[in-house]
Amino acid sequence: MKNIRNILCIGAGYVGGPTMAVIADRCPEYRVTVVDIDPERIRAWNSPRLPIYEPGLQEVVERCRGRNLFYSTDIPAGVREADVIFVSVNTPTKTFGHGAGRAADLQFVERTAREIVEYAQEGKIVVEKSTLPVRTAQALSRVLQANGKGLRFPIVSNPEFLAEGTAIQDLTFPDRVLIGGTDDPEGQEAVETIAQIYTHWIPREKLVTTNLWSSELTKLVANAFLAQRISSINSISALCEKTGANVDQVSQAVGMDSRIGPKFLQAGIGFGGSCFRKDILNLAYLCEHYGLPEVAQYWESVVDINDYQARRFVEKILEAMFNTVTEKKLAILGFAFKANTGDVRDTPALAVCQRLLAERATLAICDPKALDNARKELGDAGGRVTYHQDPYQACQDAHAILLLTDWPLFQTLDYPKILQGLPRPAFLFDGRNCLDHKALFEMGYNVYPTGSPPWTHFL
Ligand code: UDX
Ligand code: UDX
C-alpha cells in the first residue's frame, strides 16, 4: 500500500466536486486538488456561489477550501504533484458517427489520459470515477502505459453511486464503496491504496473489492436496475388509470414484500438525470457489440417506457383540456429532473415542455433552483416561455397547473389562494403524484393524478 499525500481530481462537476469535498473533509492529512478545463467552473468553486446546488455542500467546501481543498485550472501542476488521480470528466452519449445516440463518447476520458501521460514525471494510480463502458480501463491503460518514459500507471475502477440532492449524505454514509483492480500485485496494491482513503470514515465491511470489469459493469447494472423499477411502476400507472386501481396503493403493497422493497417505486413522468438513460443505452450497445441483441432489446425497453410516460402525460393534458392548449397559459411547477437539485440534464420536464410548445401553449416555469439551467435549455421560445421564482406569479391566470418536479415547496402552496386567480374550469395535473388529490378536488380543481383516475367536476 502506497502512502498518499496529494490527491488530484480531473473534472469539477456534480460527481468530482462533492466527492472531493467529502474526501478533503474526512482526510485532513491529504491535500486534495480539483482541476477542470472550464475556468468559469473553477472560478465558481472558489467563490461564495458554487457552480452546483447540493444540500450541505457549501458547508463542507467552506470548511476545507484553502485548508486542504483547492480548485485550479493548472492541470500540469496538478498531475505532477499527485500521488493518486481521480478521473471524473463527463462521458456523454455520442451524438455523431458510429454508435451515435447510444455509445458513450470517450473523447474526454482519452484526452485526460493523454494529459496525465504528458505531465507526469513519475507513475501514479489512476482512478476511474466517471461511469464508463465495460473494458474502458483497458483502453485507458493502453494510452497510459504507452508513455515512453517507462512510468507505470495502475488503474482502479471506483464508481460513484451518489444521487444528486443527497450527494453529501450518500458520500458520508454509502451503502458500499466499490473498488476494482487488476489481479496482479500492482493492481492489488493500488486497490489497497484507494481503500485506505475510504477507511477514514467508512467501515471496512462496506468496501467491496472486485476485478476491474466487474466494477465497471456493476455501475451500469445498478443504474439499469434502478431505472427499470421506475419504468416498471410507470407502466403499471398507465394500467391503473384505465382500471381504477391506484398506483400508490399498488406500489406500497408490492414494496412491502421484503424481496422487492419499497424504494424507487414512485410513479411519475419518468426518470431524468445525467445517468440513467445514458447508462442503459450504453449497456444495450455493449450487449449488441457482444452479439446479445435480445438482452440489448430488454434493457432498451426500459428507456422506451420512460419516453412513453412523458408522451402519455402530454396526451392526457390535451385530452382533458378539450384537445387544445394553443395560446393557453400553463404553469409549470418544477423543471429540475428531481427535487433538491438545479440540474436539468435529461429532465423529463424538458420533453413535456417541448411537446407543449409544439402545441403552441404559453409556459410559465417556476423552479426553486433550476431556472438558470431551464432558461439555457428552452430560451424564451419567441416570448412563449417566462420564468418565475414565485410560484404564485407563475400560476396567476393559468389554464392549468402542471407539477413536474417533486419539490417539497409545491406540496405546501396555498392552493385555495391560487385557485382564485385561475380561469374555470381549473385543471391540475400532478406529474409526480405528490399532492393531496382529494383535497384539491374538494377545493374546486379538476385533478389528474398519475396512476389513478381523475377527480373531476364534469358531469
Ligand atoms: C458524472 C459522471 O462522472 C459521469 O460518469 C456521468 O456519466 C455523468 O455524470 P458529472 O460530474 O455529473 O459527471 O459531469 P459534469 O458535471 O459535466 O462534470 C464534468 C466536468 O469535467 C466538467 O466540469 C468539465 O468541464 C470537466 N472536463 C471535461 C474536464 O475537466 N476535462 C475534459 O477533458 C472534459
Ligand atoms: C442516479 C443513481 O440513483 C445514483 O446511484 C447514480 O450514481 C447516479 O444516477 P440521480 O440520477 O442523481 O442518481 O437521481 P435518482 O434519485 O436516482 O433519480 C433519478 C430519476 O428518477 C429522477 O428523475 C427521479 O425523479 C426519478 N425517480 C426516482 C422516479 O421517477 N421514481 C422513483 O421512485 C425514484
Side-chain angles (χ1 to χ4, degrees):
M1 184 169 76
K2 285 221 164 80
N3 257 339
I4 303 174
R5 277 164 299 127
N6 291 320
I7 293 178
L8 177 73
C9 175
I10 303 182
Y14 285 91
V15 171
T19 309
M20 291 303 126
V22 169
I23 290 180
D25 197 27
R26 297 287 169 162
C27 314
E29 77 270 30
Y30 301 155
R31 184 186 162 93
V32 180
T33 306
V34 188
V35 293
D36 200 290
I37 43 168
D38 181 350
E40 268 307 297
R41 273 224 157 167
I42 292 300
R43 198 193 47 70
W45 279 109
N46 280 321
S47 79
R49 196 162 179 242
L50 302 185
I52 60 174
Y53 171 71
E54 193 55 63
L57 176 64
Q58 185 95 23
E59 291 84 334
V60 181
V61 169
E62 281 172 5
R63 255 200 314 271
C64 306
R65 195 170 49 193
R67 181 190 78 184
N68 69 330
L69 177 62
F70 302 91
Y71 298 96
S72 159
T73 49
D74 192 348
I75 299 175
V79 170
R80 264 197 315 274
E81 288 158 15
D83 305 306
V84 170
I85 300 179
F86 284 85
V87 177
S88 192
V89 300
N90 43 336
T91 52
T93 305
K94 264 186 100 174
T95 53
F96 54 87
H98 191 64
R102 307 171 76 212
D105 185 347
L106 296 178
Q107 60 166 316
F108 302 133
V109 174
E110 182 176 337
R111 187 162 76 198
T112 303
R114 291 184 187 282
E115 281 167 352
I116 295 173
V117 165
E118 186 179 348
Y119 303 125
Q121 291 163 346
E122 55 194 43
K124 37 201 90 201
I125 299 169
V126 175
V127 186
E128 289 180 342
K129 206 52 168 157
S130 305
T131 307
L132 295 163
V134 182
R135 300 199 88 92
T136 302
Q138 191 170 51
L140 252 181
S141 174
R142 286 183 180 158
V143 174
L144 290 167
Q145 308 316 347
N147 57 68
K149 306 181 197 173
L151 304 180
R152 301 284 309 159
F153 295 97
I155 294 189
V156 170
S157 161
N158 172 219
E160 184 46 65
F161 295 99
L162 69 81
E164 286 173 35
T166 52
I168 300 300
Q169 177 77 7
D170 296 344
L171 286 161
T172 310
F173 305 104
D175 287 343
R176 78 310 207 178
V177 171
L178 182 58
I179 308 176
T182 50
D183 287 328
D184 50 279
E186 183 188 60
Q188 290 309 299
E189 187 190 29
V191 166
E192 269 313 303
T193 305
I194 300 310
Q196 151 197 202
I197 300 174
Y198 292 104
T199 50
H200 279 75
W201 76 97
I202 295 164
R204 187 87 211 187
E205 62 272 16
K206 296 217 166 177
L207 269 49
V208 181
T209 55
T210 65
N211 74 30
L212 266 180
W213 324 131
S214 299
S215 173
E216 288 182 330
L217 184 60
T218 299
K219 175 64 204 233
L220 292 184
V221 172
N223 276 348
F225 273 43
L226 289 169
Q228 181 208 41
R229 285 174 68 94
I230 301 169
S231 279
S232 295
I233 201 67
N234 281 343
S235 75
I236 297 305
S237 76
L239 185 61
C240 288
E241 285 171 33
K242 297 281 185 206
T243 57
N246 180 319
V247 78
D248 283 341
Q249 294 173 353
V250 173
S251 61
Q252 194 198 357
V254 166
M256 283 169 80
D257 186 322
S258 60
R259 293 167 302 176
I260 297 171
K263 294 183 182 166
F264 271 70
L265 291 177
Q266 173 68 43
I269 50 170
F271 56 76
S274 70
C275 289
F276 283 176
R277 175 187 302 269
K278 172 176 75 70
D279 291 349
I280 293 173
L281 292 177
N282 197 225
L283 184 65
Y285 185 73
L286 207 70
C287 293
E288 246 167 47
H289 172 81
Y290 286 105
L292 304 168
E294 291 84 353
V295 185
Q297 225 173 16
Y298 173 73
W299 287 108
E300 267 173 9
S301 70
V302 171
V303 174
D304 293 343
I305 288 287
N306 201 54
D307 294 340
Y308 161 76
Q309 190 72 350
R311 203 166 61 234
R312 201 169 72 76
F313 182 69
V314 174
E315 281 163 9
K316 180 160 57 181
I317 294 168
L318 285 173
E319 197 186 309
M321 297 180 74
F322 323 113
N323 290 313
T324 176
V325 289
T326 305
E327 303 297 332
K328 289 180 183 166
K329 175 179 173 180
L330 306 178
I332 305 291
L333 298 186
F335 197 84
F337 82 96
K338 61 185 280 196
N340 296 316
T341 178
D343 195 354
V344 304
R345 288 179 291 177
D346 202 31
T347 178
L350 178 64
V352 168
C353 288
Q354 282 171 334
R355 279 177 187 275
L356 293 169
L357 285 173
E359 295 290 338
R360 308 206 170 156
T362 301
L363 308 181
I365 300 179
C366 168
D367 191 289
K369 295 287 173 191
L371 285 187
D372 288 349
N373 286 332
R375 207 176 273 116
K376 280 184 212 147
E377 291 291 334
L378 269 183
D380 79 339
R384 286 195 294 120
V385 183
T386 53
Y387 298 90
H388 308 266
Q389 204 67 49
D390 177 10
Y392 297 97
Q393 199 185 37
C395 292
Q396 181 66 38
D397 298 322
H399 286 263
I401 296 172
L402 280 49
L403 189 133
L404 303 190
T405 310
D406 49 341
W407 281 103
L409 165 73
F410 299 141
Q411 288 161 37
T412 56
L413 295 178
D414 185 345
Y415 283 100
K417 178 175 143 192
I418 290 174
L419 186 63
Q420 288 167 16
L422 304 187
R424 306 304 156 94
F427 289 96
L428 194 153
F429 298 88
D430 185 356
R432 296 291 188 166
N433 236 12
C434 58
L435 300 176
D436 183 342
H437 304 133
K438 184 160 176 276
L440 288 161
F441 167 75
E442 282 165 1
M443 277 172 219
Y445 288 93
N446 295 292
V447 186
Y448 293 75
T450 302
S452 56
W455 297 74
T456 71
H457 297 280
F458 304 122
L459 296 174

